[in-house]
Amino acid sequence: MTRLGIPRGGWVTFAGVVLLVAGILNVLDGIVVLRRDHDFPGEDLLFGDTTALGATWILIGAIAALAGILVLRRWVFGQFLGIMVAGLNAFWHFLFIGADPARSILLMAVDGVIIYALTVHGDDFV
């Protein structure tokens, strides 16, 4: 416990840190897709338009980073947003399982752990 009475450590902190890191990495992935669109063959992607793909990655990443910050601050809205963005991220990676199966399956599992941490340990939120 910290001085303000907000518990630290454990599953919720793990979920917040992973959401924050995943959000930053998703934003970076989106920027890479926008800058190097010729490296991504359209037939391996769900959408042929790499601009829409990059913009979607940036949007999901920004929301995930915001959710990570709010979860680390133990806000109830952060808990809700974290569950929603982890589910959205898992679904998004499911759509791209054909292009990169190992990464997609790993990240869907991590999103499942985030959802577990935020739902089972909801008492940590103020």
Side-chain angles (χ1 to χ4, degrees):
M1 274 277 173
T2 63
R3 190 175 70 201
L4 298 175
I6 299 172
R8 293 288 176 216
W11 282 100
V12 174
T13 300
F14 168 78
V17 169
V18 171
L19 277 169
L20 185 60
V21 170
I24 292 168
L25 291 177
N26 282 345
V27 168
L28 290 175
D29 281 344
I31 292 169
V32 167
V33 169
L34 289 176
R35 300 275 302 163
R36 301 185 60 172
D37 60 346
H38 59 280
D39 290 344
F40 298 93
E43 63 270 1
D44 287 344
L45 301 175
L46 180 66
F47 308 109
D49 184 20
T50 55
T51 304
L53 175 65
T56 305
W57 277 118
I58 291 172
L59 180 66
I60 291 173
I63 295 170
L66 174 66
I69 292 169
L70 294 178
V71 165
L72 288 173
R73 291 179 176 244
R74 301 299 198 264
W75 288 13
V76 175
F77 180 70
Q79 178 188 19
F80 170 75
L81 189 61
I83 292 169
M84 297 304 292
V85 79
L88 176 66
N89 196 37
F91 178 71
W92 188 249
H93 282 288
F94 178 74
L95 294 177
F96 290 95
I97 202 165
D100 193 359
R103 177 182 177 193
S104 294
I105 291 171
L106 175 68
L107 291 176
M108 286 188 295
V110 169
D111 288 327
V113 172
I114 290 171
I115 293 171
Y116 165 80
L118 294 177
T119 54
V120 172
H121 300 283
D123 295 340
D124 290 350
F125 292 91
V126 291

